[in-house]
Amino acid sequence: MVILSVMILNKAGGLIYQRDFHEGLHKLSSNDFLVLAGTFHGVHAITSRISPVHGSGGLEVLESENFRMQCFQTLTGTKFLIFAEPHQPNIDVICRRVYELYADYVMKNPFYQIEMPIRCEAFDRHLMAYLKPKQ
Amino acid sequence: MSTTKHARIGEEVWKSRVDKVNAELVTLTYGSIVQQLCKDLEGDYTEVNKQLDKMGYNIGLRLIEDFLAKTNMGRCNGFRDTAESIAKIGFKIFLNITPTVTNWSADNKSFSLVFEENPLADFVELPDDGRAQNELWYSNILCGVLRGALEMVQMQVEAHFASDVLRGNDSTEMRVELIRIIDDELPPGDE
Amino acid sequence: MPIYSFYIFDRHCECIYTKQWHEAERYQSAAAATARRASITSAPDGVSLPQAPGRLSVQDDAKLIFGVVFSLRNMVRKLSGPDDSFISFRTNGYKLHYYETPTNLRFVMLTDTKMSNLRAALHQIYVNLYVEFVVKNPLSPVEHPGGVGVGVEMFEYGLERFIKSIEAE
């Protein structure tokens, strides 16, 4: 599987985690990523508003020519953005696994401050092992 | 894209996707427009040039959409690519001529189009009043067309004729210069 | 598979054309109990449309859609270069398809979630309908503030037929 990068947004749309796993996306500054995350948070809210049918949620999949992004929003309001290659299958499974890792190594870490940037070495390690196994 | 690829695209679109019209009709229609302008503007050839450029500009604004629709091209990779597209595909599709791209400036921002043939000016002789030979650019509508078309794809250019066989020069040459790339427009209230 | 709406935005970020379909079925409002297919063109000078409660007007909708589409398109360009272009996005309720011409003309279509990629269809609408009937119409202006000159009969008729043929697939 080729996952290009992962971003995690907190409830307010602030970027709390960003990591590249494979080449494919441009390298932006951390400020650029922060702005992108904030913009996306707003756009996500509007996408459910402009729905032509009742009861639509926010954006779940975004396709472009060079990548495909899946946005998984948890019931707690946290958003996981997974950037993959356009024809990567099983992104749903990958999303779920990343959420599990987050629940384990981030949320269960008593010293992690909720809604703050994630600096959990165990989370990084396990995520890397899962997404880029031969490293 | 190499120039042969441009030439191939131009030839292919010209053969298959373009409606053809009688060439004399075009020459005569354009001729009568220029002649009428000269009469209406009482021989003020500078003004005639300006009007032709304006007419061309309006045509160019629309023509670019037809060009994009027929050729299915995306954005060009730089101004050199643009020049080749204009010469080998644009002029081929609309006038069935392929001017040569030459005289690139050092900064790659201006070039010349040299026309071996010009269907607009077939059978034309400029009036003998002493001024037309020095002031009138007969085919100036083409400059406006390029200006309008390129503006719609975010390039502001300036185009003018440097020489014209109708004036007694050796060749018909149009100079095209890129002034600037126009940025995307933001929605009102954004900045 | 239903197609819900279609929008064209010009290079000045303005909505110059919009068309809505299946309004009645979408909201299952009691007033449209027969679920007849209602296709309504929005006239930008504010002709009022039957609206379900809580629903935005078509104009406001168009502005929001433009905002979403413009932001996503810029995001995609920032992440993966100016050559990349955003193609579509999907929520659990609808799918939005996007196509932008090099002249910054933007075509947007909202459809059912199961619809396959309509980018080629939007390109067809541009080439065969917009260029043929709007751009080449000598009586239509070059700029279309407020949508003037876009909703010509041939364009509307061609669009209806084309949409029907896509939905039937």
Side-chain angles (χ1 to χ4, degrees):
Chain A
M1 75 174 119
V2 180
I3 300 296
L4 303 175
S5 76
V6 172
M7 282 169 71
I8 307 182
L9 275 57
N10 65 15
K11 267 206 286 286
L15 182 67
I16 58 175
Y17 185 79
Q18 189 281 329
R19 185 93 182 265
D20 292 323
F21 294 92
H22 280 97
E23 294 292 311
L25 298 179
H26 278 196
K27 302 256 177 294
L28 302 173
S29 71
S30 49
N31 206 42
D32 283 336
F33 278 122
L34 276 169
V35 170
L36 216 69
T39 313
F40 181 76
H41 178 79
V43 166
H44 186 266
I46 302 180
T47 50
S48 57
R49 197 82 181 78
I50 58 175
S51 167
V53 296
H54 261 329
S56 165
L59 184 163
E60 288 175 8
V61 181
L62 171 72
E63 280 175 291
S64 86
E65 281 179 19
N66 294 342
F67 69 86
R68 184 186 152 115
M69 181 197 83
Q70 201 115 333
C71 168
F72 172 61
Q73 179 169 32
T74 69
L75 289 169
T76 53
T78 311
K79 292 197 231 330
F80 290 83
L81 306 185
I82 313 282
F83 293 84
E85 290 196 327
H87 301 293
Q88 172 73 33
N90 292 334
I91 303 195
D92 286 338
V93 172
I94 298 171
C95 274
R96 230 144 292 273
R97 183 78 188 114
V98 173
Y99 188 31
E100 269 174 36
L101 291 173
Y102 170 81
D104 285 342
Y105 298 105
V106 178
M107 297 315 276
K108 291 179 190 162
N109 178 354
F111 297 107
Y112 166 68
Q113 280 184 297
I114 311 226
E115 305 291 295
M116 286 285 118
I118 296 174
R119 302 219 192 289
C120 305
E121 196 258 320
F123 177 63
D124 265 329
R125 225 177 343 109
H126 281 86
L127 199 58
M128 186 61 114
Y130 176 58
L131 294 177
K132 213 173 177 184
K134 304 255 179 12
Q135 232 7 50
Chain B
M1 272 210 271
S2 75
T3 49
T4 44
K5 193 164 179 199
H6 284 95
R8 193 174 38 82
I9 296 177
E11 189 65 39
E12 189 212 311
V13 176
W14 159 255
K15 282 221 178 82
S16 54
R17 277 177 253 168
V18 172
D19 289 335
K20 315 281 191 300
V21 74
N22 181 295
E24 266 77 20
L25 182 60
V26 174
T27 313
L28 288 173
T29 308
Y30 184 68
S32 99
I33 292 176
V34 178
Q35 198 261 3
Q36 194 61 42
L37 274 176
C38 291
K39 214 153 72 176
D40 289 342
L41 296 170
E42 286 157 5
D44 181 356
Y45 294 117
T46 322
E47 191 58 33
V48 173
N49 291 338
K50 231 172 43 187
Q51 289 300 322
L52 286 174
D53 182 85
K54 252 182 166 172
M55 287 166 64
Y57 177 76
N58 279 313
I59 295 176
L61 294 178
R62 296 169 188 269
L63 207 65
I64 182 73
E65 304 273 14
D66 190 46
F67 175 80
L68 291 171
K70 289 216 162 70
T71 60
N72 211 357
M73 287 185 68
R75 291 203 178 275
C76 288
N77 297 326
F79 200 51
R80 284 202 163 236
D81 197 18
T82 307
E84 289 298 324
S85 301
I86 295 171
K88 304 266 174 335
I89 308 180
F91 274 100
K92 176 71 180 168
I93 299 179
F94 294 115
L95 285 176
N96 196 21
I97 56 175
T98 41
T100 333
V101 179
T102 58
N103 278 351
W104 276 101
S105 66
D107 57 4
N108 275 342
K109 279 197 177 162
S110 43
F111 63 92
S112 286
L113 284 170
V114 177
F115 294 83
E116 294 291 316
E117 44 170 336
N118 181 2
L120 295 179
D122 282 342
F123 314 121
V124 174
E125 270 180 37
L126 293 183
D128 215 356
D129 61 3
R131 283 181 305 120
Q133 292 277 345
N134 299 327
E135 291 171 13
L136 178 64
W137 293 115
Y138 187 80
S139 311
N140 212 37
I141 203 171
L142 298 177
C143 297
V145 172
L146 280 190
R147 190 167 61 89
L150 290 175
E151 185 178 302
M152 287 292 273
V153 281
Q154 271 113 324
M155 280 176 266
Q156 187 184 356
V157 298
E158 198 276 326
H160 64 269
F161 274 97
S163 66
D164 192 349
V165 292
L166 289 180
R167 283 197 180 190
N169 303 128
D170 294 329
S171 61
T172 307
E173 181 179 327
M174 184 200 299
R175 192 91 194 129
V176 181
E177 189 186 317
L178 175 68
I179 311 281
R180 68 183 181 107
I181 307 278
I182 305 172
D183 290 324
D184 279 346
E185 251 180 73
L186 289 173
D190 266 29
E191 204 19 81
Chain C
M1 256 181 295
I3 291 182
Y4 297 123
S5 52
F6 172 68
Y7 300 82
I8 305 181
F9 298 97
D10 70 3
R11 43 211 282 266
H12 307 295
C13 309
E14 206 187 318
C15 176
I16 58 172
Y17 184 78
T18 168
K19 193 114 189 202
Q20 313 282 320
W21 292 278
H22 300 287
E23 296 250 306
E25 286 141 33
R26 283 197 244 161
Y27 287 96
Q28 293 152 348
S29 67
T34 52
R36 224 182 347 105
R37 214 176 102 144
S39 105
I40 300 159
T41 310
S42 136
D45 56 298
V47 168
S48 67
L49 300 164
Q51 293 177 16
R55 187 91 173 82
L56 295 172
S57 75
V58 178
Q59 270 70 291
D60 290 338
D61 237 12
K63 289 203 185 104
L64 281 182
I65 289 178
F66 180 77
V68 165
V69 148
F70 193 68
S71 302
L72 287 177
R73 168 239 202 215
N74 288 347
M75 203 172 102
V76 166
R77 288 208 175 171
K78 202 124 194 236
L79 281 171
S80 114
D83 295 328
D84 197 3
S85 56
F86 143 59
I87 297 177
S88 70
F89 75 75
R90 182 177 62 72
T91 75
N92 63 358
Y94 67 96
K95 191 166 181 183
L96 183 147
H97 309 259
Y98 178 73
Y99 172 66
E100 182 175 332
T101 72
T103 50
N104 278 2
L105 203 59
R106 294 143 179 154
F107 293 80
V108 173
M109 195 170 285
L110 275 72
T111 72
D112 181 78
T113 53
K114 298 186 214 54
M115 182 71 81
S116 59
N117 195 339
L118 283 188
R119 192 185 202 199
L122 289 175
H123 177 75
Q124 287 300 309
I125 293 178
Y126 170 60
V127 169
N128 295 332
L129 296 174
Y130 186 79
V131 170
E132 290 300 308
F133 299 127
V134 179
V135 176
K136 286 188 181 170
N137 178 1
L139 298 176
S140 94
V142 179
E143 305 281 6
H144 305 278
V148 65
V150 182
V152 291
E153 207 181 307
M154 295 295 292
F155 176 72
E156 298 251 8
Y157 178 65
L159 184 67
E160 275 295 324
R161 284 183 56 192
F162 188 67
I163 295 292
K164 278 206 189 90
S165 75
I166 303 177
E167 282 187 330
E169 276 167 27

